[in-house]
């Protein structure tokens, strides 16, 4: 919903969201650090971020801002996940406009989306992705969420 902000006096509009939307957003970001919340809030449209929640490198953040991003144990992977439970080319994150998809690349241990092994899945905001021992939370740009609200 768009509303005029009478305090601005310049005719510019501001975004205003209902209590339900704010509660959902707060719940999704609960348990995140102030730095993570700031990183998510500053994402430009068409980008997303993965935050490591469990496993090696807890707290590490990986920006998804390309049409294809490969995660794996190979040092040349876009997202280098250094653990023997991760295949060299384990999973791919693809972007089509503002939509992101996860695809397993034939990994030995599989790729999981919200606890279920998948070959391919469309990522929703707040989804958990598991690659080997790594559990990552996926966050889309707030600008892209706002456009759909």
């Amino acid at each position: 919903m768009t509303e005029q902000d009478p305090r601005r006096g310049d005719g510019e509009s501001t975004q205003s969201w209902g209590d339900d939307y704010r509660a959902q957003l707060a719940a999704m970001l609960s348990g995140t650090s102030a730095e993570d919340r700031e990183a998510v809030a500053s994402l430009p449209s068409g980008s997303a971020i993965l935050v490591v929640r469990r496993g090696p490198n807890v707290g590490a953040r990986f920006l998804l801002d390309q049409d294809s991003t490969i995660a794996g144990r190979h040092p040349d992977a876009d997202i280098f996940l250094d653990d023997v439970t991760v295949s060299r080319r384990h999973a791919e994150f693809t972007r089509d406009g503002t939509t992101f998809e996860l695809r397993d690349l034939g990994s030995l241990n599989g790729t999981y989306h919200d606890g279920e092994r998948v070959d391919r899945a469309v990522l929703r905001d707040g989804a958990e992705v598991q690659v080997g021992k790594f559990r990552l939370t996926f966050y889309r740009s707030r600008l892209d969420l706002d456009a759909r609200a």
Side-chain angles (χ1 to χ4, degrees):
M1 167 181 8
T2 302
E3 298 179 345
Q4 292 278 336
D5 185 349
R7 294 171 292 176
R8 289 182 62 159
D10 58 2
E12 291 289 324
S13 63
T14 60
Q15 297 285 333
S16 176
W17 309 106
D19 291 336
D20 187 43
Y21 175 80
R22 282 193 291 275
Q24 288 176 1
L25 185 58
M28 183 176 16
L29 291 174
S30 67
T32 60
S33 69
E35 293 84 13
D36 288 344
R37 287 190 300 275
E38 186 176 313
V40 170
S42 67
L43 288 171
S45 180
S47 64
I49 196 168
L50 293 167
V51 180
V52 178
R53 297 289 177 214
R54 292 203 342 207
N57 301 340
V58 168
R61 294 183 293 235
F62 301 102
L63 180 64
L64 300 176
D65 63 350
Q66 302 174 60
D67 290 337
S68 173
T69 303
I70 304 294
R73 189 170 33 95
H74 192 280
D76 291 337
D78 300 309
I79 298 175
F80 177 55
L81 301 173
D82 191 16
D83 190 86
V84 296
T85 61
V86 177
S87 296
R88 286 184 181 95
R89 287 180 39 90
H90 195 108
E92 179 182 28
F93 298 88
T94 58
R95 174 182 68 180
D96 182 13
T98 60
T99 301
F100 287 83
E101 186 173 88
L102 168 67
R103 185 170 64 99
D104 183 77
L105 297 176
S107 67
L108 181 62
N109 292 321
T111 301
Y112 294 79
H113 173 261
D114 287 337
E116 293 187 31
R117 189 171 182 158
V118 296
D119 290 325
R120 170 171 263 152
V122 174
L123 293 170
R124 63 170 176 69
D125 200 63
E128 181 184 80
V129 174
Q130 183 175 345
V131 175
K133 289 182 181 177
F134 295 84
R135 288 196 182 189
L136 310 106
T137 303
F138 171 83
Y139 297 108
R140 294 179 46 177
S141 166
R142 304 295 95 177
L143 298 173
D144 298 335
L145 288 180
D146 294 348
R148 296 177 358 161

